[in-house]
């Protein structure tokens, strides 16, 4: 647990906060979301910039599917100093970018082999080139799963593309590609060649982008001068100038520069002639979504202007005697006024308002696929052009009475536009969780100006987006914290529930980390900004939720398979329906009384064929999974449960066995010394002086607990200096050995003493047995090969642990505890929480073996741990859950991150996944049931017996309603409540003095 959130321990200041600060409550842990590599602290990041990245490519033998690739990727990413890891299961290769001063190729190779695969370094492909890029693109114009699947296959087929994901629900694509072969402009061009509008969002090296409006520029030379001035700034990556709109877009690295620097440079370039300001709301996801909603709304309203008169002419006025007479007036031969009016009114609807369906179907067919636009275009064209033929024939014949379907085509398009409008409106609500998270960032901030000695010289209110790294921000009571950082002055309590879900306000004093978007409650704080823009915790949570919503659940493959054949099959069914009814009419296969008075057998058959074509809806199937996953992951984020996509959701709902780590998971994870027994005469403070000197270099939680306890004997000093420890050795899983004041000090467990051939007295043996019975850990201290003292260390059980295990049992989920602690302590803890199956004294690889053993027995296993010592088991499990997320590795590696330290969130995660998948099943039942029932009814299955037939415009309305109903069904997940069993669960706080 070396790197806590923001890793600010090195920056803590000794100023401020006297004795009264000790009365504040303890500080819980947050999820850490570092930009720097796993296992590297923040204070080391500056040194990383001095070292180039290395790349290693490995041949990995034994991978059979994407799950194998995922386990290899997870295992590698958990190593310290890893920048990026990508695994190609098709070519059996793994590419790793890393910092060689923290990890080497051999360690990475051994890690892959530990994950169960044969690995070999490909010597010719190592180097310093970071070639893999991730590009996010917004796509406009996708109408159904067929569109997204075709686009995904087209992108995947491009040379240099390693992985492509296209999400229909979010209307975005995420493409991982080799920057040496491709660039993002080529990706945009390919998408546009497929018939969709592509809008570039970002690449992995351009996570921060800002658009500034520049006033005072009149010539191209002035804009060029500004561009050159900006390019000279460190950290600026790309600059896009728009002379026409006086706009400049800058992509930059937030740790090196920021918007205030850009504005200062621009305004100083032209001797005060130019003025720059942030462009409000330019290019955001929400603005594009709102524009799409407005477009559909406008199209629907314009269609109504023409369709309502057509409907009145065809369905109402024909039954009003005076008006009917006027409409039946002949113009040329049998051509009537009514027919001509309907033709004139329906034509703009068909070709102007309905143009989007023509362009969509043309581009789809051009690339060898068929989507929903093809069905709409075929159905409306059949009705429109038959009507045109009928009108023209009436105009040229003295005997032929025309029967047209102009109302069918125009009403069909109007209802479909209404359905699309309601659909995009509902789809917008599925991503409200992201919008709410983004809204947490405050609009303004109070920037402090300090002198060289840190005294406040002045303050000014600035736009929240202008905050840069190392700025000092003033946070008044009731205001939102403007940026991630740490407190340099003041003390207060901060409500972090909107980020971590932790309901209780958290005490903050000098040196403590704060998260941007949280609310300061009762004191004034001065906060130094450390992570801004895309590096902030809020931005990374947003990005995690966005990635989760992009990732497809395996069950989505079912809809993708159906979509390939759906449209061609519907077209065949439609033609078959028309042909069957037409031939039946010609061959007198049914009584003539079945044919309505206004039609003949051909027209009746045509109506049945059109109804079949327009009632079939591939959209409902395509939206069934992604909309539910979007809402489910959004709800999870609001509950403090970050679920990394559909795969994690799908696996979690099938979990029937949970493996718990002990320390930090079932227990608080903050051990304290509760008892000391000396076996020879010496002063207790002198004893702890020697023990603390040996343990101060240890990173183990037990070692830290001993040092903290030893500080009580040096109350006069805040950070006491311990005697020098020479020849320090940390023996993993056993203890430490060092030489202090010419004495050999060994601190560790019983097995370490036996290995060192040190005799353990009977008194020490008895105390060890007593501590294990009390669920405590016994530590022996040897001075010069003689056991001198026994320490009892207790790690309190988390509140509610027993109840959580009991609730899991009622959910038919077995709980197992696997720990590296001794059997006595493990059994005592297990008895206390109600777990029967225990594995103790287990090394990290043995925890993973236990998980694999359970999986081999047919169990679906979730592993709940702190994300460091449990990493092999987290990788091996079907679902890895990082609880408390006190380590920087958790956010990267876990499938589900539980942001609070409450065990109840394990239940919430599983229950939410079950509810989400129940909703997905319901969506599929509705979408499939609708098509399986609707198509036969539209084809006239009920007509012979009941005389009931479905007019094409009603069939079109039903099709539009089916998509909307699926999205609304998914939206009902927003009402998710935690299981009632958790309502009465008393999750109390634990205070460690």
């Amino acid at each position: 647990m070396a790197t806590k959130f923001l890793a600010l321990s090195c920056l803590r200041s000794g100023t401020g906060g006297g004795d009264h600060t000790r009365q504040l409550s303890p500080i819980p842990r947050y999820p850490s979301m570092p930009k720097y590599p796993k296992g590297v602290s923040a204070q080391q990041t500056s040194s990383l910039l001095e070292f180039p990245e290395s790349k290693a490519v490995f041949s990995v033998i034994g991978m059979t599917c994407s799950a194998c690739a995922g386990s290899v990727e997870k295992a590698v990413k958990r190593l310290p100093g890893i920048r990026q890891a990508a695994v190609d299961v098709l070519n059996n290769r793994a590419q790793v970018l890393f910092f060689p001063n923290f990890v080497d190729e051999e360690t990475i190779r051994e890690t892959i082999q530990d994950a169960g695969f044969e690995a070999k370094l490909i010597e010719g492909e190592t180097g310093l080139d970071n070639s893999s890029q991730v590009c996010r693109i917004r796509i406009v114009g996708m109408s159904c799963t067929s569109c997204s699947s075709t686009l995904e296959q087209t992108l995947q087929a491009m040379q240099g593309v390693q992985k492509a994901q296209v999400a229909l629900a979010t209307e975005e694509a995420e493409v991982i590609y080799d920057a040496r072969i491709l660039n993002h402009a080529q990706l945009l061009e390919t998408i546009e060649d497929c018939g969709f509008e592509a809008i570039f969002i970002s690449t992995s090296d351009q996570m921060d982008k800002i658009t500034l409006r520049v006033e005072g520029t009149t010539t191209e030379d002035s804009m060029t001068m500004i561009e050159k001035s900006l390019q000279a700034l460190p950290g600026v990556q790309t600059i896009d100038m728009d002379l026409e709109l006086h706009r400049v877009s800058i992509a930059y690295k937030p740790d090196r520069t920021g918007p205030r620097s850009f504005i200062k440079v621009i305004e100083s370039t032209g001797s005060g002639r130019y003025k720059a300001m942030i462009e409000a709301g330019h290019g955001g996801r929400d603005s594009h979504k709102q524009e799409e909603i407005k477009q559909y709304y406008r199209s629907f309203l314009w269609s109504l202007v023409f369709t309502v008169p057509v409907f009145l002419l065809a369905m109402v006025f024909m039954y009003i005697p005076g008006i009917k007479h006027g409409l039946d007036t002949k113009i040329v031969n049998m051509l009537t006024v009514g027919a001509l009016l309907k033709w004139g009114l329906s034509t703009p609807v068909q070709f102007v308002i309905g143009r989007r369906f023509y362009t969509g179907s043309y581009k789809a067919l051009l690339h060898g696929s068929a989507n929903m636009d093809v069905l709409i275009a075929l159905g409306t064209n059949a009705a429109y052009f038959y009507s045109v033929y009928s009108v023209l024939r009436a105009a040229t014949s003295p005997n032929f009475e025309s029967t047209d379907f102009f109302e069918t085509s125009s009403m069909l398009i109007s209802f479909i536009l209404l359905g699309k409008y309601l659909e995009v409106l509902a789809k917008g609500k599925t991503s409200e969780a992201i919008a709410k998270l983004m809204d947490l960032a405050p609009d303004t901030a109070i920037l402090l100006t300090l002198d060289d000695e840190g005294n406040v010289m002045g303050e000014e209110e600035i736009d929240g987006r202008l905050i840069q790294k190392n700025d000092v921000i003033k946070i008044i009571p009731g205001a939102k914290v403007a940026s991630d950082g740490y407190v340099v002055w003041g003390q207060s309590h901060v409500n972090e529930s909107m980020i971590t879900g932790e309901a209780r306000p958290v005490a903050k004093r000098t040196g403590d980390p704060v998260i941007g978007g949280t609310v300061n409650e009762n004191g004034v704080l001065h906060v130094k900004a450390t992570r801004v823009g895309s590096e902030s915790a809020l931005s990374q949570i947003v990005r995690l939720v966005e990635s989760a919503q992009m990732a497809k659940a395996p069950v989505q493959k079912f809809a993708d398979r159906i979509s390939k054949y759906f449209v061609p099959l519907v077209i065949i069914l439609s033609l078959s329906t028309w042909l069957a009814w037409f031939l039946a009419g010609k061959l007198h296969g049914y009584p003539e009384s079945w044919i309505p008075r206004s039609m003949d057998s051909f027209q009746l058959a045509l109506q049945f064929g059109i109804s079949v074509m327009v009632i079939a809806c591939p959209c409902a199937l395509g939206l069934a999974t992604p909309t539910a996953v979007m809402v489910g992951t959004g709800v999870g984020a609001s509950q403090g449960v970050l679920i990394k996509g559909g795969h994690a959701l799908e696996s979690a709902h099938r979990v029937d066995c949970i493996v718990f780590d002990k320390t930090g998971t079932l227990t608080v994870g903050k051990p304290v010394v509760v008892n000391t027994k000396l076996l020879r005469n010496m002063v207790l403070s002198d004893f702890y002086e020697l023990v603390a000197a040996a343990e101060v270099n240890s990173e183990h939680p037990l070692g830290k607990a001993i040092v903290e306890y030893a500080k009580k004997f040096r109350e006069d000093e805040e950070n006491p200096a311990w005697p020098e420890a020479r020849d320090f050795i940390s023996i993993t899983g056993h203890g430490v050995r060092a030489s202090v004041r010419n004495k050999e000090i060994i601190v560790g467990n019983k097995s370490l003493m036996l290995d060192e051939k040190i005799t353990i007295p009977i008194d020490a043996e008895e105390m060890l047995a007593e501590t294990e019975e009390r669920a405590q850990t016994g530590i022996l201290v040897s001075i010069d090969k003689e056991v001198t003292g026994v320490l009892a260390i207790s790690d309190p059980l988390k509140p509610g642990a027993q109840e959580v295990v009991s609730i899991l049992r009622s959910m038919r989920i077995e709980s197992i505890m696997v720990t590296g602690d001794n059997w006595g302590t493990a059994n005592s803890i297990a008895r206390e929480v109600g777990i029967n199956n225990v594995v103790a004294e287990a090394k990290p690889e043995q925890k993973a073996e236990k998980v694999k053993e359970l999986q081999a027995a047919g169990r679906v296993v979730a592993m709940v741990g702190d994300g460091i010592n449990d990493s092999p088991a987290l990788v091996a499990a079907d679902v890895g859950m990082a609880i408390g997320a006190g380590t920087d590795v958790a956010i990267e590696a876990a499938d589900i991150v539980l942001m609070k330290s409450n065990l109840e969130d394990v239940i919430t995660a599983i229950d939410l996944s079950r509810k989400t998948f129940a909703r997905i099943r319901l969506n599929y039942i509705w979408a499939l049931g609708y098509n399986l029932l609707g198509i036969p009814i539209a084809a006239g299955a009920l007509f012979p017996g009941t005389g009931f037939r479905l007019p094409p415009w009603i069939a079109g309305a039903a099709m539009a309603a089916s998509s909307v109903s699926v999205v609304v069904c998914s939206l009902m997940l927003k009402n998710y409540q935690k299981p009632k069993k958790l309502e009465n669960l008393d999750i109390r706080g634990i205070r460690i003095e």
Side-chain angles (χ1 to χ4, degrees), residues 933-949:
L933 286 173
I935 291 173
I937 292 170
L942 301 178
F943 189 63
T946 63
F948 175 78
R949 64 185 176 87

mmCIF file of all heavy atoms in Angstrom, residues 933-949:
data_model
loop_
_atom_site.group_PDB
_atom_site.id
_atom_site.type_symbol
_atom_site.label_atom_id
_atom_site.label_comp_id
_atom_site.label_asym_id
_atom_site.label_seq_id
_atom_site.Cartn_x
_atom_site.Cartn_y
_atom_site.Cartn_z
ATOM 1 N N LEU A 933 -44.184 -12.008 -32.898
ATOM 2 C CA LEU A 933 -45.644 -11.835 -32.946
ATOM 3 C C LEU A 933 -46.048 -10.822 -34.016
ATOM 4 O O LEU A 933 -47.029 -11.028 -34.744
ATOM 5 C CB LEU A 933 -46.164 -11.359 -31.582
ATOM 6 C CG LEU A 933 -46.215 -12.398 -30.464
ATOM 7 C CD1 LEU A 933 -46.590 -11.723 -29.156
ATOM 8 C CD2 LEU A 933 -47.210 -13.500 -30.784
ATOM 9 N N GLY A 934 -45.285 -9.734 -34.090
ATOM 10 C CA GLY A 934 -45.669 -8.641 -34.984
ATOM 11 C C GLY A 934 -45.598 -9.005 -36.451
ATOM 12 O O GLY A 934 -46.496 -8.648 -37.234
ATOM 13 N N ILE A 935 -44.552 -9.730 -36.867
ATOM 14 C CA ILE A 935 -44.391 -10.060 -38.287
ATOM 15 C C ILE A 935 -45.541 -10.938 -38.802
ATOM 16 O O ILE A 935 -46.125 -10.632 -39.853
ATOM 17 C CB ILE A 935 -43.004 -10.684 -38.554
ATOM 18 C CG1 ILE A 935 -41.915 -9.613 -38.362
ATOM 19 C CG2 ILE A 935 -42.911 -11.277 -39.959
ATOM 20 C CD1 ILE A 935 -40.493 -10.128 -38.437
ATOM 21 N N PRO A 936 -45.917 -12.027 -38.094
ATOM 22 C CA PRO A 936 -47.054 -12.820 -38.582
ATOM 23 C C PRO A 936 -48.369 -12.019 -38.635
ATOM 24 O O PRO A 936 -49.153 -12.183 -39.574
ATOM 25 C CB PRO A 936 -47.158 -13.963 -37.561
ATOM 26 C CG PRO A 936 -45.814 -14.059 -36.963
ATOM 27 C CD PRO A 936 -45.282 -12.666 -36.939
ATOM 28 N N ILE A 937 -48.596 -11.152 -37.632
ATOM 29 C CA ILE A 937 -49.838 -10.346 -37.646
ATOM 30 C C ILE A 937 -49.818 -9.386 -38.834
ATOM 31 O O ILE A 937 -50.817 -9.219 -39.540
ATOM 32 C CB ILE A 937 -49.996 -9.577 -36.312
ATOM 33 C CG1 ILE A 937 -50.261 -10.551 -35.170
ATOM 34 C CG2 ILE A 937 -51.116 -8.547 -36.401
ATOM 35 C CD1 ILE A 937 -50.199 -9.946 -33.788
ATOM 36 N N ALA A 938 -48.649 -8.746 -39.077
ATOM 37 C CA ALA A 938 -48.523 -7.834 -40.212
ATOM 38 C C ALA A 938 -48.696 -8.579 -41.539
ATOM 39 O O ALA A 938 -49.193 -8.011 -42.519
ATOM 40 C CB ALA A 938 -47.165 -7.143 -40.173
ATOM 41 N N ALA A 939 -48.295 -9.846 -41.556
ATOM 42 C CA ALA A 939 -48.405 -10.651 -42.779
ATOM 43 C C ALA A 939 -49.837 -11.126 -43.031
ATOM 44 O O ALA A 939 -50.113 -11.757 -44.055
ATOM 45 C CB ALA A 939 -47.458 -11.845 -42.705
ATOM 46 N N GLY A 940 -50.742 -10.865 -42.091
ATOM 47 C CA GLY A 940 -52.152 -11.219 -42.285
ATOM 48 C C GLY A 940 -52.556 -12.538 -41.668
ATOM 49 O O GLY A 940 -53.553 -13.132 -42.076
ATOM 50 N N ALA A 941 -51.817 -13.000 -40.654
ATOM 51 C CA ALA A 941 -52.134 -14.290 -40.035
ATOM 52 C C ALA A 941 -53.521 -14.278 -39.389
ATOM 53 O O ALA A 941 -54.205 -15.302 -39.347
ATOM 54 C CB ALA A 941 -51.072 -14.643 -38.996
ATOM 55 N N LEU A 942 -53.949 -13.113 -38.868
ATOM 56 C CA LEU A 942 -55.256 -13.033 -38.211
ATOM 57 C C LEU A 942 -56.385 -12.643 -39.180
ATOM 58 O O LEU A 942 -57.566 -12.704 -38.821
ATOM 59 C CB LEU A 942 -55.207 -11.999 -37.068
ATOM 60 C CG LEU A 942 -54.180 -12.246 -35.948
ATOM 61 C CD1 LEU A 942 -54.238 -11.113 -34.932
ATOM 62 C CD2 LEU A 942 -54.436 -13.579 -35.257
ATOM 63 N N PHE A 943 -56.026 -12.251 -40.400
ATOM 64 C CA PHE A 943 -57.013 -11.722 -41.328
ATOM 65 C C PHE A 943 -58.089 -12.738 -41.742
ATOM 66 O O PHE A 943 -59.288 -12.410 -41.733
ATOM 67 C CB PHE A 943 -56.301 -11.162 -42.566
ATOM 68 C CG PHE A 943 -57.214 -10.408 -43.498
ATOM 69 C CD1 PHE A 943 -57.852 -9.245 -43.086
ATOM 70 C CD2 PHE A 943 -57.439 -10.865 -44.788
ATOM 71 C CE1 PHE A 943 -58.689 -8.542 -43.937
ATOM 72 C CE2 PHE A 943 -58.277 -10.173 -45.644
ATOM 73 C CZ PHE A 943 -58.897 -9.019 -45.217
ATOM 74 N N PRO A 944 -57.707 -13.975 -42.071
ATOM 75 C CA PRO A 944 -58.742 -14.940 -42.494
ATOM 76 C C PRO A 944 -59.797 -15.193 -41.423
ATOM 77 O O PRO A 944 -60.995 -15.287 -41.719
ATOM 78 C CB PRO A 944 -57.942 -16.212 -42.787
ATOM 79 C CG PRO A 944 -56.570 -15.731 -43.097
ATOM 80 C CD PRO A 944 -56.364 -14.545 -42.223
ATOM 81 N N GLY A 945 -59.385 -15.294 -40.172
ATOM 82 C CA GLY A 945 -60.334 -15.649 -39.116
ATOM 83 C C GLY A 945 -61.082 -14.475 -38.526
ATOM 84 O O GLY A 945 -62.255 -14.580 -38.154
ATOM 85 N N THR A 946 -60.401 -13.315 -38.434
ATOM 86 C CA THR A 946 -61.006 -12.174 -37.727
ATOM 87 C C THR A 946 -61.246 -10.955 -38.621
ATOM 88 O O THR A 946 -61.937 -10.024 -38.211
ATOM 89 C CB THR A 946 -60.089 -11.728 -36.570
ATOM 90 O OG1 THR A 946 -58.851 -11.275 -37.134
ATOM 91 C CG2 THR A 946 -59.801 -12.881 -35.610
ATOM 92 N N GLY A 947 -60.642 -10.957 -39.790
ATOM 93 C CA GLY A 947 -60.749 -9.794 -40.663
ATOM 94 C C GLY A 947 -59.841 -8.650 -40.217
ATOM 95 O O GLY A 947 -59.889 -7.550 -40.759
ATOM 96 N N PHE A 948 -58.971 -8.920 -39.209
ATOM 97 C CA PHE A 948 -58.085 -7.868 -38.697
ATOM 98 C C PHE A 948 -56.810 -7.802 -39.529
ATOM 99 O O PHE A 948 -56.150 -8.811 -39.768
ATOM 100 C CB PHE A 948 -57.710 -8.165 -37.234
ATOM 101 C CG PHE A 948 -56.716 -7.193 -36.661
ATOM 102 C CD1 PHE A 948 -57.108 -5.935 -36.235
ATOM 103 C CD2 PHE A 948 -55.364 -7.531 -36.574
ATOM 104 C CE1 PHE A 948 -56.180 -5.034 -35.722
ATOM 105 C CE2 PHE A 948 -54.443 -6.643 -36.065
ATOM 106 C CZ PHE A 948 -54.863 -5.387 -35.634
ATOM 107 N N ARG A 949 -56.465 -6.638 -39.988
ATOM 108 C CA ARG A 949 -55.189 -6.439 -40.677
ATOM 109 C C ARG A 949 -54.530 -5.172 -40.139
ATOM 110 O O ARG A 949 -55.210 -4.275 -39.635
ATOM 111 C CB ARG A 949 -55.380 -6.361 -42.185
ATOM 112 C CG ARG A 949 -56.195 -5.193 -42.669
ATOM 113 C CD ARG A 949 -56.447 -5.268 -44.174
ATOM 114 N NE ARG A 949 -57.306 -4.173 -44.595
ATOM 115 C CZ ARG A 949 -56.891 -2.970 -44.936
ATOM 116 N NH1 ARG A 949 -55.596 -2.713 -44.914
ATOM 117 N NH2 ARG A 949 -57.733 -2.019 -45.285
#
